[in-house]
Amino acid sequence: MDVATLGAVGTIVVGLAAAMGALVGKRGENRAAQSGAVLTGYGTLVDNLQEERDAAQRKLADNEARLSELYAELSTARTDNAELRAQVAALTAENARLRERITELGGAPL
């Protein structure tokens, strides 16, 4: 083999090695991008769950305040008002459901 042939073979080998390096680098880049997308998706999910938990806690606090008002109204009026009792029962049931949901979302109910 003469010098020109060795130079051509060397150029081909170097070109193939560079192509393989680029291919491996691109695969690593894709893997890193997918990993970042998974972490971003997880962060979004956690944010959404925390927002849902906070909303449930606010609703629970509002319901508790309304429930206190209804009990006060019931006790002062000394009436056997079926509508007020139905509201009390509905709010009590909703509060139980909200407490359960808050616990499921990782929070502590009020």
Side-chain angles (χ1 to χ4, degrees), residues 13-32:
V13 169
V14 168
L16 289 174
M20 288 300 294
L23 180 64
V24 170
K26 186 65 174 172
R27 290 180 69 194
E29 179 183 330
N30 289 343
R31 191 172 298 129

Side-chain angles (χ1 to χ4, degrees), residues 14-86:
V14 168
L16 289 174
M20 288 300 294
L23 180 64
V24 170
K26 186 65 174 172
R27 290 180 69 194
E29 179 183 330
N30 289 343
R31 191 172 298 129
Q34 288 174 346
S35 175
V38 168
L39 291 177
T40 301
Y42 179 74
T44 302
L45 177 62
V46 169
D47 290 343
N48 290 343
L49 290 174
Q50 288 174 343
E51 288 175 14
E52 183 180 348
R53 183 189 64 210
D54 293 343
Q57 286 178 329
R58 283 191 301 274
K59 178 72 173 163
L60 179 61
D62 292 344
N63 284 354
E64 289 290 343
R66 179 69 180 134
L67 194 57
S68 294
E69 292 170 7
L70 290 174
Y71 275 126
E73 190 175 332
L74 262 176
S75 66
T76 57
R78 300 275 189 227
T79 62
D80 191 20
N81 192 332
E83 184 179 324
L84 288 178
R85 292 196 183 274

